[in-house]
Amino acid sequence: MKKRKCNNILAIETSCDDTSLALLVDNKIIFNKTITRNDLHLKYGGIVPELAARNHADVITELLDELTNATKFDLNNLDYIAYTAFPGLPGSLHIGKVFAKTLSFLLNKPIIKIDHMLAHAYSFSIDNNKLIKYPFLCLDASGGHTTIYLFKSLNKYKVLNDAQDDAIGECLDKIGRILSLPYPGGISINRIYDPNKDNLKMIHHYLPNEPFSLSGLKTHVSNYVNSLKMKKQKIDKVLIASSVLKWCIDELLIKLIYYLSKYKVKFVVIGGGVAANSLLRKQINNIKNKVILVDKKYCGDNAAMIANLANLLVNNKKSI
Ligand code: KG4
Ligand code: ZN
C-alpha cells in the first residue's frame, strides 16, 4: 500500500489562560479556535493561574466537539496529537497534557510535545512553510517573553537577548493596572495610544546589547503616578500610556536593529501577543531588512502554531 505523505495533527494549547485547539490536515490548518476568558481575570488585574487551569478543564471537551462538528473529521484518522509541553503555568500545562494523553490512549495515536516559544517563532509560516529560510532573526514579544533569537535551522537557535525581569506584555499589563485601565493593559494601552502625546520623559534607553529590562520603567511610572496622586494633580492616562508604549517599542527596535547589523540574516520575524501592537507594526518601517510580521490572528496564543511546529518536526523527522 502506498504510504500517505501528509500528517493529520490535532494540536492542543493550554500554556496560559487561552484554551486553543487546531486541526492540521494535509499541511493545512482546517480548524483553529481559541477561547479567551479575560472576564475571569478582569477583577484581579492579571491572570489567576488556578482560574485559568480550571477554565481549560471546563471548555476543552466542548471545543473538541466543536472541532469535530465543524470539520466532520474522524479523530481515528489522526496521525499525531501535539500539545504544548512547556513553558507555561504548571496547572494550565497539566490540563493540556492530561487531555493529550487521554486522547492518545483512547485513539492509540502518538504524542508530540511542543515548545511553546519555538511554536511562536515559527508562527509566521503557519499558512506557508515555504517562507522559512535560514538564518533568520526572531523577536518574540509576548506576555511571558521578550526574546531575540537567531535561528540557524529548525531547532538550532541561539538566544541573543532576553528579558531579565518583566516581559514586555507583562510590563504593559502592570502599567495598565497602575493607570486603572481595563485588563489586559497591553491592549488598552494600544487602544488609547496618541502619537501627539507620547513625549513624557521616561527613563534612558539601555545599550542595545544589554538585556531587556522593564522593571526600571515600571518603577518610574509607578513613582510618577504616586507623586501626582499625593499632590492631588490630574493623571493624564493617555500621556503616560502613550509615552510608555513609545519607550517600549523604541527599546525593542533599538535592540533589533543592533542585532540585524551584527548578523547577516534572510529576514526578521516579529511575533508574540505584543506583535499585534499598532505602533510596533507601524514603526518597523524603520528597519531596513526584510521584516515578516506574524499575522495578527496567530500573534497571541493559538493551537495552529502548535500544529504547525509539530508538522515541521515530523516532516523534518526531528524532535525537541
Ligand atoms: O503571546 P500572548 O498571547 O501570550 C503569552 O504571553 O504567551 O501575549 C499576551 C500579551 C499580553 O500581555 C497582552 O497585553 C499583550 O500580549 N498584547 C498586546 C496587544 N495585544 C496583546 N500588547 C500591546 N498591544 C497589543 N495590541
Ligand atoms: Zn505565548
Side-chain angles (χ1 to χ4, degrees):
M1 204 169 77
K2 217 173 139 198
K3 201 169 178 303
R4 196 161 44 84
K5 266 217 193 106
C6 59
N7 308 306
N8 297 334
I9 301 175
L10 173 73
I12 301 158
E13 158 60 39
T14 63
S15 65
C16 193
D17 60 328
D18 299 318
T19 318
S20 188
L21 290 184
L23 182 64
L24 181 142
V25 173
D26 196 8
N27 297 309
K28 279 193 195 70
I29 299 290
I30 64 161
F31 182 91
N32 177 42
K33 184 163 176 188
T34 304
I35 297 179
T36 304
R37 290 283 314 272
N38 284 339
D39 57 310
L40 286 179
H41 309 281
L42 204 63
K43 67 174 170 196
Y44 305 102
I47 293 162
V48 182
E50 179 68 19
L51 291 181
R54 280 167 189 259
N55 188 55
H56 290 313
D58 284 346
V59 301
I60 202 156
T61 42
E62 284 85 349
L63 198 49
L64 184 65
D65 280 345
E66 201 176 326
L67 178 148
T68 48
N69 288 336
T71 59
K72 306 280 175 260
F73 183 85
D74 179 353
L75 295 179
N76 289 300
N77 291 330
L78 284 174
D79 295 299
Y80 300 95
I81 294 164
Y83 75 96
T84 300
F86 59 94
L89 300 172
S92 290
L93 288 170
H94 190 68
I95 303 293
K97 178 180 173 177
V98 170
F99 193 62
K101 284 201 151 191
T102 308
L103 287 176
S104 158
F105 175 75
L106 292 173
L107 300 164
N108 194 23
K109 305 293 175 191
I111 276 189
I112 306 177
K113 295 180 185 180
I114 293 294
D115 175 342
H116 180 85
M117 303 319 300
L118 264 191
H120 266 304
Y122 280 95
S123 54
F124 71 98
S125 70
I126 292 175
D127 293 325
N128 185 3
N129 285 172
K130 292 202 177 85
L131 283 176
I132 303 171
K133 288 189 177 71
Y134 299 101
F136 68 87
L137 277 196
C138 173
L139 165 67
D140 174 35
S142 66
H145 293 263
T146 323
T147 311
I148 299 178
Y149 302 90
L150 170 66
F151 276 88
K152 296 175 183 168
S153 65
L154 186 54
N155 54 2
K156 200 165 159 225
Y157 63 88
K158 191 173 158 189
V159 172
L160 301 178
N161 204 314
D162 203 5
Q164 71 172 13
D165 36 59
D166 284 0
I168 183 160
E170 186 183 7
C171 172
L172 292 174
D173 292 347
K174 286 180 180 168
I175 290 180
R177 199 173 170 187
I178 293 172
L179 295 175
S180 307
L181 296 172
Y183 174 82
I187 295 176
S188 295
I189 290 175
N190 186 160
R191 196 174 309 122
I192 65 171
Y193 172 76
D194 179 348
N196 300 312
K197 290 186 81 171
D198 64 3
N199 53 358
L200 184 67
K201 197 166 175 287
M202 293 284 132
I203 59 171
H204 285 298
H205 284 288
Y206 294 95
L207 291 173
N209 60 344
E210 284 183 308
F212 283 112
S213 174
L214 294 160
S215 59
L217 177 78
K218 201 179 61 189
T219 308
H220 174 79
V221 174
S222 168
N223 290 344
Y224 177 71
V225 170
N226 283 338
S227 76
L228 289 178
K229 278 185 185 161
M230 270 158 49
K231 289 187 245 163
K232 297 202 171 14
Q233 287 176 352
K234 182 180 171 267
I235 297 167
D236 187 338
K237 293 187 185 183
V238 175
L239 175 70
I240 301 169
S242 303
S243 307
V244 162
L245 184 61
K246 174 83 169 51
W247 189 95
C248 288
I249 302 302
D250 283 350
E251 184 69 8
L252 289 182
L253 292 187
I254 289 169
K255 290 190 177 345
L256 253 194
I257 291 169
Y258 166 76
Y259 289 108
L260 283 166
S261 73
K262 269 193 82 176
Y263 297 94
K264 208 170 171 300
V265 290
K266 298 277 195 307
F267 51 80
V268 52
V269 174
I270 304 182
V274 182
N277 185 265
S278 316
L279 182 63
L280 175 62
R281 294 179 96 85
K282 202 168 146 218
Q283 293 288 83
I284 51 142
N285 295 333
N286 298 330
I287 299 180
K288 303 269 176 295
N289 305 62
K290 180 177 171 188
V291 179
I292 302 183
L293 275 172
V294 172
D295 192 317
K296 272 191 189 177
K297 69 174 185 275
Y298 298 134
C299 279
D301 290 345
N302 65 88
M305 69 182 191
I306 306 303
N308 179 56
L309 179 56
N311 191 40
L312 289 172
L313 290 168
V314 171
N315 289 341
N316 285 270
K317 295 187 180 51
K318 288 189 176 163
S319 61
I320 299 175

